Structure formats: C-alpha cells, structure tokens
Amino acid sequence: MKLYYYKDPRGNFGDDLNPWLWSRLLPDVLDGDDSTLFVGIGTLLNHRLPDAPVKHIFGSGYGYGELPRIDGRFVFHAVRGYGTARMLGLSEKTVVTDAAVLLKTVAFERAPAARHRIGFIPHCQSSRYFDWESVCAELGFKYISAEWDVDTVLREMTSCEALVCEAMHGAIAADTLRIPWIPVSCYDYISSFKWEDWLSTLELPYAPARITSLYDIERSFSPGLKIKNHVKRGLRAVGAWSPNWTPPPRRKTGREEFDRAADELRVAVRGPQYLSRDEVLDAHVYRYLELLDSMKRGN
C-alpha cells in the first residue's frame, strides 16, 4: 500500500504530517505498492484522486475541486467531518474527525517549558504573501511557520501557552496537544467549509477573528521581475492590457494596514480560546486506534 498525500514543494505542516505520522503508526502496512493507496490527512477527496487503485480513506476530507467519482475502489474507514460525508453521500457512521488527532498517540520532542504566552501559525500561503514574523515581533508573539518541518513545528507549538491559528492543522494539533487555540482568518482563501467540517466532530463553532490582509509578495523577487510587474501595473492603469497576460501581484501594503492587522490580533487574543472536551477527543482517538488495528490485521 502506498501513502497518497499532497506534497507542497515549500513545505506545509498539515500535509507533511502524513509521512511523519503514518511511518510511525503503519510501518509494516505502507510498503510503496501503488496498486493500493492509503489516503490520510488532508483535503484529498476530489477529482484528482487516481481512478485505478483501490483507495483506503483514513480521515481525509473534501473541500477543493470537483467531487470524486465514488465506486467500488473506495474503502471508507473514516472521513474528517459531517460536511465531507454529506457532500460525498456517505453514512454519518464514516465520520470520525481529522486523522491528525492520532498525534496524541506518538512521542516527539516537546519544548521543556512554555516560554511564550502566544504563538501564531499562519496558513502556509499567508507566509508567502507577507512577512508575518514581523507582525509577531511587533506583538511579542512566537512566530511558527507551517513551512517548517513537523518536528520543529510541534516543538515550537509546545513552547506556547496558547496559539493563534490560521493554519487549520495548527489548530488540530493544538487541540490534540491540549493547547488552547484561537482561530483567525487573514485572507479570503481560507476555507470555512474545511474548518466547519473538522469542528463539527468536536461540537465547536467556527468563528474566526477577521484580520486585515497584508501583502509583500515581491519581497523575494529579482529586480528584473519587480520592474516587469511595475510596467504591467502601468499598462493596466492606462488600459493597455491583454487578458492573456499574467497579472502582477498585489502591491505591498503600508504601515496603516500593518498596524490595523496588529491591533486586530491584539483584540483576538483577548477573546475566547477554544479547546474540545477531553471525552470527545479521547473517543475519536480510541475509534482511530480501533481502525488502525483493523487495518493492520487486513480487515
């Protein structure tokens, strides 16, 4: 059986949990044989799934793209939430929660103590749009990048008393590790469906604090590319533009927007913190352990 997951070339904590976690929990099951796929953590249930292999679905969710064409080659052990089950026409009995809850069952290096009052984990794309570490420095927050390796992210998370999470798997890991968390949304691409899908299994609402979007996408561009984008903006401004051209990225936001976003984050951390009930979390972990045992036995 081969592990199937999305691999971001620049790294993404939620996706990268797959090889990190399943190599520890299913070392004798995942042998690389691509005639059968193990579909685990992530928003993977869409039209991009390969047609031919048998696919064992173990905690995945829907959220992007077209719905997959369900046939006899799908084996649904568990899905992420009730929204996924509804969209795919599955029984609610297939719903458990996001499989990253199994972090609770594995050992890893934790920080020796909580040295930071607040940590902030933006969505991986948000860190590419703007240097959110500079906002954290302004606020005295610990910045945690979703692009870092899994061990580093987990260690830095456990160094915080509470976590502000735009990255959903930051919140999932925080809840699993019993670290209070605060949901925020800094950009319009954050999928409320995915969050609500997961949180439906924890009996919690999705009510993120809205944070002003910040942009400095060109900070890592070459001088030549910056000039090219400057010219494109000028041409578009005077109407000399072709719809076939790639549009330039958003202009860099200024100090006013920076200060507004920082103030909004200050307010957010004074608001409610979230944590699922112990008995709810433990029931999900227990159910997944049963499913893992069944899979190891080949059932």
Side-chain angles (χ1 to χ4, degrees), residues 10 19 28 55 57 102 140 143 171 194 209 228 242-243 259 297:
R10 295 175 63 173
D28 299 324
K55 293 165 281 290
I57 312 303
L102 283 165
Y143 172 76
K194 288 169 49 177
K228 182 178 179 180
S242 168
D259 290 342
R297 296 196 311 268

Side-chain angles (χ1 to χ4, degrees), residues 185-220:
S185 176
C186 305
Y187 299 89
D188 291 339
Y189 53 71
I190 300 301
S191 169
S192 59
F193 175 88
K194 288 169 49 177
W195 279 82
E196 291 165 357
D197 190 41
W198 163 56
L199 289 170
S200 69
T201 67
L202 300 183
E203 303 169 12
L204 291 173
Y206 179 53
R210 187 67 176 91
I211 309 300
T212 295
S213 302
L214 300 177
Y215 297 93
D216 187 12
I217 300 171
E218 293 181 283
R219 67 188 187 276
S220 60

Side-chain angles (χ1 to χ4, degrees), residues 20-22 24-26 58 99-108 110 176-177 281-282 284-290 292 296:
W20 187 94
L21 183 64
W22 302 121
R24 289 162 168 78
L25 296 175
L26 292 170
F58 209 87
V101 73
L102 283 165
L103 273 171
K104 192 175 176 69
T105 69
V106 298
F108 60 88
R110 297 172 181 253
T176 300
L177 301 175
L281 186 74
D282 290 344
H284 292 328
V285 173
Y286 181 76
R287 178 58 181 144
Y288 267 125
L289 290 175
E290 287 184 323
L292 277 174
K296 289 174 184 176

Side-chain angles (χ1 to χ4, degrees), residues 6 16 88 101 131 138 172 180 185 255:
Y6 177 73
D16 296 342
L88 271 59
V101 73
D131 177 18
E138 179 91 2
I172 293 169
S185 176
R255 185 70 203 192

Side-chain angles (χ1 to χ4, degrees), residues 248-267:
R250 294 281 296 265
R251 289 183 182 274
K252 180 180 178 180
T253 45
R255 185 70 203 192
E256 181 180 349
E257 291 89 352
F258 181 101
D259 290 342
R260 188 185 309 138
D263 287 342
E264 289 161 350
L265 283 166
R266 286 191 188 95
V267 172

